[in-house]
Amino acid sequence: MRTIIFSKRNLKELLRDPLSYVFCLGFPIVMLLIMTIINNSIPPEANMTIFRIDNLSGGIAVFGLSFVMLFSALLLSQDRTGAFLTRLYASPMKASEFIAGYYLPILLLAAAQSVITFFASFIIAAVDGVEMSISGALLAIVSLIPTSVMFIGFGLLFGSLFNSNAAPGLCSIIISGAGVLGGIWMDVEAMGGGFRDVCMALPFYHSVRLSRNVMAGVTDNMGTDLLIILAYMAASFILSVRAFRRNMTKDIK
Amino acid sequence: MENSSIEIKNLRKTYGSLTAVNDLSLNIGSGELFGLLGVNGAGKTTTIKMLSCLIKPDSGEAFLGGNSIITQSAEVKRIINLSTQETAVAPKLTVRENLEFVADIYGVPDRNAAVESVIKDFSLESVLDRKAKTLSGGWQRKVSIAMALVTSPRILFLDEPTLGLDVLARRELWTAIKALKSRMTIILTTHYLDEAEALCDRIAVMTEGCLRAVGTADELKAMAGKDDFEEAFIEIAERSKRKGAAL
Ligand SMILES: Nc1ncnc2c1ncn2[C@@H]1O[C@H](COP(=O)(O)OP(=O)(O)OP(=O)(O)O)[C@@H](O)[C@H]1O
Ligand SMILES: [Mg+2]
């Protein structure tokens, strides 16, 4: 019950920040539109499909989730700055209720973002005359849940470890990295070499590839992708919980 | 009345080589309004943090309403609330939402009635729908104290509650605190000696983590051989310093 009460507070706190709307909800739509315009100006003989809406939506959805990481980090690091959390540490709230209370509302925001991204993709696909399957998109949204949990975990980890100035900076670096190493803007497979190895070792490309494949109804590499994402998700969860619990005593005002 | 006494036994807290609270022992009765005085860094806030289970003492023990702060912190947390030295409000929630939030976290049975009652006690009607972060420092402090009271704790900690309040708001808060007297046990810290004298049943003076004197304001004045409470406080604080230097 206390988890729900705290979740509600956190959701209000998130939704009352206009930047949440700009970055979490507006940004993916804008990116979809811009990249579609770029795609339409690429001559067909170039045979480049990376920016075609059915490829693009998975990439943008993952990119959008990296912003959710930023918001998780901001929420927690700002809460830690004031004495508000100290008040709650002296209340009957348990550590697990704090953690769940942070994860749940942000997960809701992440899910809303994925839904909006794919919904906008549908409209663009319809206008552009590209086939997109509804069931594929729904499955792709589901396939992004572990990725969402992972990004929230990293956001809460950085929000626990760093102050409200350093945490967003670190997140922006990861956001940029996720864009490049996630194969959102370029074809990782075609790059090959060391670049591909790095992409394969990190979760971002696996998240993008999984959601693209799921949407296309292709099962290639699904096991590998899921395994790696789940491993990163578990790591981010464990690390964020440990960092939060450790800082609970350190941050007391 | 339920047991809401505080028994402190040899409580000690160090930070590295610094002893913030040193072998503190003290008994506070149910319904007592107890003042904790001391210069900056005397260990008042550290004492409150240990009693409210925010930090663990290095050694020693304390019982709040019969519950150990070490082995029964869950029970202790249910019967206490505090207003921290720093204002503690959720910035983007409105004043009403802040009050409701805390009441819900503690599972206050008749939440709406409890919220309405503190709104009245603290004259918060005019700011109810404003986000806490848009209020002035003094108003945020009032809200922060109201958030501690909305759960009707058996034991209440007020760490410098009147810090940053104007004269009128300070007097208003005094009235509110007096009205709570004997309904709950209160530990209050302050740097305003007139405030301690006006409100507190008994007062303790701490310096350098140690308890130097306990008693009513009159007893402390007699102890120090001064007619004025402020003079008495200075005498007690200085005396302990002279002793410390002699050692
Ligand atoms: N987290 C901490 N780490 C290191 N030292 C600390 C910490 N918290 C408090 N101290 C030290 O412990 C001593 C007691 O601090 P405390 O905050 O209890 O004093 P106080 O009586 O509340 O003072 P004030 O009137 O200024 O609020 C101080 O010397 C302070 O520097
Ligand atoms: Mg203090």
Side-chain angles (χ1 to χ4, degrees):
Chain A
M1 194 57 211
R2 281 192 291 260
T3 301
I4 303 293
I5 296 160
F6 189 52
S7 297
K8 270 195 199 156
R9 176 265 167 178
N10 289 332
L11 191 62
K12 279 181 191 161
E13 205 73 31
L14 284 166
L15 294 181
R16 286 176 189 180
D17 184 351
L19 285 181
S20 303
Y21 296 93
V22 174
F23 281 105
C24 285
L25 306 178
F27 186 73
I29 298 177
V30 173
M31 287 306 282
L32 282 172
L33 287 173
I34 293 175
M35 297 324 277
T36 302
I37 293 168
I38 293 177
N39 184 54
N40 287 345
S41 64
I42 298 173
E45 49 276 22
N47 204 10
M48 203 174 138
T49 56
I50 184 119
F51 294 153
R52 204 179 59 205
I53 191 67
D54 51 335
N55 273 326
L56 194 61
S57 46
I60 299 284
V62 172
F63 196 50
L65 290 176
S66 66
F67 281 92
V68 171
M69 167 181 65
L70 172 68
F71 279 86
S72 319
L74 269 176
L75 177 64
L76 181 51
S77 60
Q78 282 171 352
D79 275 354
R80 285 179 45 234
T81 318
F84 178 67
L85 280 185
T86 300
R87 169 189 287 295
L88 293 183
Y89 294 153
S91 82
M93 264 182 87
K94 297 190 197 72
S96 57
E97 292 167 333
F98 278 102
I99 291 158
Y102 277 117
Y103 264 95
L104 290 176
I106 309 175
L107 196 57
L108 210 63
L109 193 71
Q113 186 194 56
S114 298
V115 169
I116 286 175
T117 306
F118 281 96
F119 186 73
S121 300
F122 258 106
I123 297 173
I124 293 172
V127 172
D128 249 13
V130 179
E131 288 264 342
M132 235 175 110
S133 98
I134 295 192
S135 57
L138 287 176
L139 285 173
I141 291 171
V142 174
S143 81
L144 286 171
I145 293 174
T147 301
S148 310
V149 177
M150 174 194 78
F151 273 122
I152 297 168
F154 282 121
L156 294 179
L157 173 66
F158 302 144
S160 278
L161 294 180
F162 303 105
N163 65 29
S164 54
N165 297 319
L170 185 63
C171 287
S172 347
I173 296 172
I174 296 178
I175 290 171
S176 317
V180 175
L181 301 170
I184 300 169
W185 317 127
M186 60 191 97
D187 188 353
V188 169
E189 304 291 344
M191 306 277 291
F195 183 79
R196 185 177 176 278
D197 293 342
V198 174
C199 296
M200 286 299 172
L202 293 170
F204 315 117
Y205 179 57
H206 295 284
S207 300
V208 174
R209 185 166 73 177
L210 178 69
S211 68
R212 279 179 186 156
N213 282 343
V214 163
M215 195 159 74
V218 181
T219 51
D220 299 3
N221 301 316
M222 200 175 264
T224 323
D225 288 341
L226 258 179
L227 208 67
I228 292 177
I229 298 166
L230 288 174
Y232 273 98
M233 181 191 91
S236 79
F237 180 75
I238 293 166
L239 290 174
S240 67
V241 170
R242 283 185 53 172
F244 185 84
R245 281 176 177 268
R246 219 190 50 209
N247 281 320
M248 256 180 105
T249 46
K250 222 181 72 191
D251 288 334
I252 286 162
K253 293 284 181 298
Chain B
M1 183 172 181
E2 286 167 298
N3 177 7
S4 50
S5 63
I6 302 173
E7 259 179 87
I8 305 172
K9 290 183 177 158
N10 309 99
L11 218 49
R12 189 181 155 83
K13 178 76 190 175
T14 56
Y15 290 108
S17 61
L18 185 132
T19 306
V21 174
N22 195 358
D23 207 25
L24 182 73
S25 295
L26 199 58
N27 284 322
I28 299 168
S30 294
E32 195 171 356
L33 206 173
F34 193 88
L36 210 50
L37 299 188
V39 293
N40 291 131
K44 305 179 294 290
T45 300
T46 307
T47 302
I48 287 185
K49 282 179 187 169
M50 287 191 279
L51 295 179
S52 50
C53 305
L54 283 168
I55 55 175
K56 288 223 178 332
D58 295 343
S59 59
E61 187 37 311
F63 295 91
L64 275 69
N67 305 297
S68 156
I69 56 165
I70 294 169
T71 57
Q72 296 170 292
S73 61
E75 283 81 359
V76 171
K77 285 174 170 185
R78 267 198 288 276
I79 61 167
I80 65 168
N81 206 333
L82 85 163
S83 160
T84 48
Q85 186 167 349
E86 260 183 62
T87 304
V89 295
K92 289 190 196 114
L93 296 191
T94 65
V95 170
R96 183 188 283 284
E97 285 170 340
N98 263 296
L99 294 169
E100 290 175 349
F101 170 73
V102 176
D104 287 342
I105 288 288
Y106 281 77
V108 172
D110 194 353
R111 183 254 259 178
N112 289 344
V115 168
E116 289 310 322
S117 140
V118 290
I119 289 172
K120 223 172 104 244
D121 291 346
F122 285 82
S123 321
L124 296 173
E125 293 86 356
S126 61
V127 295
L128 272 184
D129 296 320
R130 285 183 48 190
K131 285 185 192 145
K133 66 167 181 190
T134 68
L135 298 176
S136 73
W139 275 97
Q140 288 193 20
R141 178 149 286 269
K142 281 206 237 180
V143 174
S144 189
I145 296 167
M147 285 164 79
L149 278 167
V150 76
T151 66
S152 309
R154 265 155 65 185
I155 297 173
L156 173 69
F157 299 100
L158 298 173
D159 200 354
E160 299 193 26
T162 55
L163 184 77
L165 293 189
D166 64 46
V167 180
L168 298 181
R170 178 185 304 266
R171 284 306 164 107
E172 230 175 69
L173 189 62
W174 284 16
T175 313
I177 292 174
K178 275 185 193 151
L180 296 172
K181 243 182 168 172
S182 75
R183 270 206 276 151
M184 56 185 74
T185 307
I186 302 174
I187 291 195
L188 169 142
T189 79
T190 179
H191 288 296
Y192 301 101
L193 299 165
D194 55 335
E195 183 166 297
E197 200 178 4
L199 293 176
C200 300
D201 299 319
R202 276 194 311 151
I203 295 164
V205 179
M206 282 177 85
T207 63
E208 292 164 335
C210 298
L211 187 67
R212 303 298 181 182
V214 194
T216 63
D218 287 335
E219 282 166 2
L220 292 182
K221 280 190 268 191
M223 229 178 272
K226 305 279 180 188
D227 296 331
D228 177 62
F229 185 61
E230 188 161 326
E231 292 296 324
F233 171 79
I234 294 169
E235 171 63 26
I236 292 168
E238 299 260 288
R239 204 186 277 168
S240 66
K241 215 189 260 175
R242 285 199 295 274
K243 261 193 222 156
L247 286 175

